[in-house]
Amino acid sequence: MSTLLKYLCSFLISMVPLVELRGGVPWGVATGLPWYKVLPICMLGNMLPIPFIFFFARKVLEWGKDKPVIGKFFTFCLEKGEKGGQALTDKAQKLTKGSDLGLYLALLLFVGIPLPGTGAWTGTLGASILDLDFKKSVIAVLCGVLLAGIIMTVLSLLGVSAVVAAKS
C-alpha cells in the first residue's frame, strides 16, 4: 500500500462517527507512518465535518420531528437534549458563578477522553442540540480533539512498541 493511500485511510477513518481518532491514529501508526504526521492529518479529518454537524443537526431533528416513522425519535432527541442542556447549564453556572466556562470545559473533556460514544461528532451534536455558541463550541471541540489525539498517539506508540518487543 502506498504511503499516500495510508495517509488518506487515516484521514478517512478519523472522519467516521464514533471511530474518529480512536481508529485513525492507531491505524496510521500501526501501518508505519510517523506519528507526528498522522496526528495532524487525523485531527483535520476529525474536525472537517464539525461545522456541518453543528449547523445542520438541530435543523434535521426539527425537520424530522413531524414525520411519521422518525418523528417520535427525533422529538425525543430534541426534548432530551433541551432538558439535559438546561440542567447542565444550571450546574455549570453554579460552579463557575454565572460564567459558561464550565459547560465548555465539560464539552472539551467529553470530546477529549477517548471512550466509546464520546468524540467530536457526539460532542458537536450535543452542542448543536443544546444551542451553544458556535465559536466557543468549536474551540472546546478542537481542544478536546487535540487531547484525544495526544492520548491515542501515546497509546498507539506504546502498543506498537509492545508488539515489536514481543516479536523480538
Side-chain angles (χ1 to χ4, degrees), residues 13-33:
I13 290 169
S14 295
M15 289 180 73
V16 175
L18 301 174
V19 176
E20 303 178 24
L21 296 174
R22 291 178 295 276
V25 171
W27 193 88
V29 170
T31 59
L33 298 174

Side-chain angles (χ1 to χ4, degrees), residues 42-89:
C42 288
M43 285 180 61
L44 181 63
N46 197 206
M47 288 299 295
L48 190 65
I50 296 308
F52 301 103
I53 296 166
F54 188 89
F55 288 118
F56 297 116
R58 185 175 185 89
K59 288 180 175 52
V60 168
L61 289 173
E62 288 177 358
W63 166 84
K65 70 181 180 183
D66 299 328
K67 303 299 182 256
V69 177
I70 57 176
K72 287 183 182 180
F73 177 70
F74 280 31
T75 301
F76 169 78
C77 290
L78 282 169
E79 289 173 356
K80 196 72 164 170
E82 288 169 3
K83 286 179 188 174
Q86 187 59 44
L88 187 58
T89 302

Side-chain angles (χ1 to χ4, degrees), residues 108-120:
L108 182 153
L109 291 174
F110 179 81
V111 172
I113 307 298
L115 297 171
T118 67

